[in-house]
Amino acid sequence: MTVVWYCFFHRAAPAGGLSDAEREQVAEAVRGSPELRTGYVHTPSPAPHPHAGQDVAPVLALELEFADAADCEAALRQEGGLRRLADPGFVPGLAGTTVSQQGMLRRLYAVPDPAEAGATGLCSYLVHYPGPAEDEQAWLGHYTTSHAPLMSALPGVRAVAVDTPSVVVSGLPFRFAGALLRNKVAFDSAEALSAALASPAREALRADAAAFPPHAGGSVHVPMETRVVPGSD
């Protein structure tokens, strides 16, 4: 099963985003990761969405796919590459951010019209559930078998991914997050994302969420502009 490494850079108060040059620096660091399958560099999107004004988007979120834990851990140990993200001077726009990381196992769900191979730009809705759940297996079972498939009915959706925690040994000096679950739905544009979240398909998701087994922490939803970084293969 594919292993995904997430890294989030949060700032307590809004203070501007990354410049184009800084985003390119980050993409270069991601591109240099050995055995990377695909990387996604996320920065905040202004897309209107139902949770606007409630949840604060990270300044930067990285989502990197690897074939397995060994490949992921090799990338996190490599000199240079991702380790440059721990250098306070590497990307000035990330100064003062609080950084967290988490390794996860990825589940992909089929969609009617997936993103074309080679697509370099998307708009993603990143969601996570901090947890914990009273019965973690029951909660995850409901989510992965009942809730996640409903996302594939969102109009215009290009990808649906659901990630559950995995132990990944990291050489980077960032604290570990402990989200119960993360998911991503991706669209061609901010307009397509907003339209999907205003559709009847979202009402089906809301109805199913009401049937979740008991859990704490609520959920966090943020729209992000996504740059796709191909891996070495």
Side-chain angles (χ1 to χ4, degrees):
M1 183 177 284
T2 298
V3 170
V4 181
W5 180 73
Y6 280 100
C7 191
F8 300 93
F9 296 77
H10 278 95
R11 186 173 282 119
L18 301 183
S19 67
D20 290 344
E22 288 173 328
R23 283 192 290 270
E24 182 58 33
Q25 281 180 281
V26 172
E28 284 300 317
V30 168
R31 193 176 290 113
S33 302
E35 308 304 329
L36 175 72
R37 281 187 166 180
T38 307
Y40 303 91
V41 177
H42 304 287
T43 50
S45 167
H49 66 109
H51 297 269
Q54 300 175 32
D55 302 327
V56 178
V59 178
L60 171 70
L62 301 180
E63 173 199 350
L64 309 187
E65 295 178 334
F66 297 90
D68 53 34
D71 284 351
C72 179
E73 291 173 353
L76 298 177
R77 289 193 305 267
Q78 180 202 27
E79 292 300 323
L82 296 175
R83 292 187 67 86
R84 287 182 287 172
L85 296 171
D87 178 355
F90 178 56
V91 179
L94 296 177
T97 55
T98 299
V99 190
S100 61
Q101 60 182 321
Q102 187 171 14
M104 310 198 85
L105 295 178
R106 167 141 291 180
R107 292 163 179 79
L108 293 174
Y109 292 79
V111 298
D113 192 9
E116 295 183 5
T120 58
L122 297 166
C123 188
S124 301
Y125 206 40
L126 301 185
V127 179
H128 79 270
Y129 296 82
E134 286 186 13
D135 182 336
E136 184 174 290
Q137 285 297 307
W139 195 93
L140 293 174
H142 180 100
Y143 199 99
T144 55
T145 61
S146 176
H147 197 70
L150 295 174
M151 299 178 199
S152 297
L154 289 167
V157 68
R158 300 303 192 193
V160 173
V162 171
D163 305 314
T164 54
S166 175
V167 175
V168 169
V169 180
S170 175
L172 295 175
F174 306 140
R175 74 172 183 87
F176 277 88
L180 173 64
L181 179 142
R182 298 183 188 276
N183 77 58
K184 175 183 75 173
V185 286
F187 299 85
D188 287 335
S189 64
E191 293 77 15
L193 184 154
S194 295
L197 297 180
S199 72
R202 180 175 175 268
E203 293 307 310
L205 286 164
R206 292 186 67 190
D208 186 73
F212 283 175
H215 69 106
S219 56
V220 178
H221 304 67
V222 292
M224 306 291 281
E225 296 296 333
T226 303
R227 177 172 177 177
V228 183
V229 180
S232 54
D233 51 335

